[in-house]
Amino acid sequence: MKTYTPRPRDIERRWYLIDAGGVILGRLATQVAAILRGKHKPIFAPHMDTGDHVVVVNASGVRLTGGKEEKKLARRHSGYPGGLTETTYTRLLATRPAFAVEKAVRGMLPKNSLGRTMIGKLKVYAGPEHPHRAQNPERLSLGQVPTWSGLPKPPPVAPTGPQPKAPAKRSGAKAGSAGPRAKRSAAKGSAAKTTSRASTAKSQRAKRTTAKAATTKRTTGSASSGVKTPTRKSPAKRSPARRKKEGE
């Protein structure tokens, strides 16, 4: 059995709207973090960002339980000695409620580049208004799990190879009638050429056979008559003694 890994074409980003008025901060943060990670989808993978976009409104209406408004502190360090800053959540919710929600959600996401990408899909606003009406976000209540409608349909793939050329249209009936005639005449010309070539090849073969027959007759006739053909003798070299006698 192979392990399933989602592909980029299987990931579909949707938009959800959550109203934080009167909601406990911790429970809100857990639901928002799960949607940002994509844990509500069957294709969830911990090494990929399969989550959706979340818009949180009325962040100023979140609350804490157990007296954490005064006990819980939001800390920040500047990096220099003595640069620690502590703020109570009562003051933080009164001045920066959106930051308080973002801080709670960020603490529940992976502490790496994947978590930084996921937190980029979170939009928090202190009031009821938001500028994301064009995305038509779906409204969710606390504890409601988004519905899963299956993998998105892949777009049709356009052919990348060379397209076959369309046959040229004939202008009229005359052109259509002249076409077969021209083809027939061309076929007749090619057939005549092939027949002429074959006839010339046959005549050359006949000439070669007659020449071979004549040469064979001559050789057989001379052998049957028994006449010896005279052979030329090479001139004999005179000895030096005969040359002297002739000179005397």
Side-chain angles (χ1 to χ4, degrees), residues 29 46 58 94 117 217-219 222 232 234 240:
N58 294 325
T117 304
K217 285 181 180 180
R218 289 175 186 174
T219 53
S222 61
R232 294 182 180 180
S234 59

Side-chain angles (χ1 to χ4, degrees), residues 2-202:
K2 295 183 179 180
T3 303
Y4 174 77
T5 300
R7 292 168 290 185
R9 68 182 184 184
D10 297 340
I11 301 172
E12 184 181 6
R13 311 289 185 187
R14 297 184 179 182
W15 288 74
Y16 296 100
L17 177 65
I18 298 178
D19 189 358
V23 178
I24 299 174
L25 179 60
R27 295 186 178 183
L28 173 67
T30 54
Q31 182 174 357
V32 172
I35 297 174
L36 292 177
R37 292 193 66 185
K39 299 191 76 173
H40 60 287
K41 298 181 180 180
I43 62 171
F44 167 74
H47 65 285
M48 293 186 66
D49 182 14
T50 60
D52 299 325
H53 298 267
V54 179
V55 180
V56 179
V57 295
N58 294 325
S60 59
V62 296
R63 60 190 182 88
L64 283 79
T65 59
K68 297 185 185 69
E69 296 86 352
E70 297 295 335
K71 298 177 184 178
K72 189 175 178 65
L73 300 176
R75 295 181 176 88
R76 187 182 68 84
H77 203 286
S78 63
Y80 292 93
L84 180 63
T85 303
E86 295 179 346
T87 307
T88 60
Y89 266 77
T90 303
R91 182 179 179 183
L92 187 64
L93 292 175
T95 56
R96 301 176 63 188
F99 175 76
V101 176
E102 291 177 359
K103 182 178 175 60
V105 175
R106 186 182 290 107
M108 299 182 181
L109 294 177
K111 309 302 186 292
N112 49 23
S113 60
L114 186 62
R116 291 189 289 272
T117 304
M118 292 176 180
I119 197 64
K121 302 195 300 292
L122 175 63
K123 315 295 180 183
V124 184
Y125 301 95
E129 299 296 331
H130 64 87
H132 303 287
R133 298 187 183 278
Q135 284 72 27
N136 194 16
E138 181 182 351
R139 186 176 293 273
L140 292 177
S141 60
L142 188 64
Q144 182 181 355
V145 180
T147 57
W148 169 255
S149 59
L151 294 175
K153 294 181 180 180
V157 180
T160 57
Q163 298 293 333
K165 294 183 179 180
K169 294 183 179 180
R170 297 178 180 177
S171 59
K174 292 183 178 180
S177 61
R181 292 180 182 177
K183 290 182 180 179
R184 290 173 187 173
S185 60
K188 288 181 179 179
S190 61
K193 288 182 180 179
T194 53
T195 52
S196 62
R197 289 178 183 175
S199 60
T200 51
K202 287 182 180 179

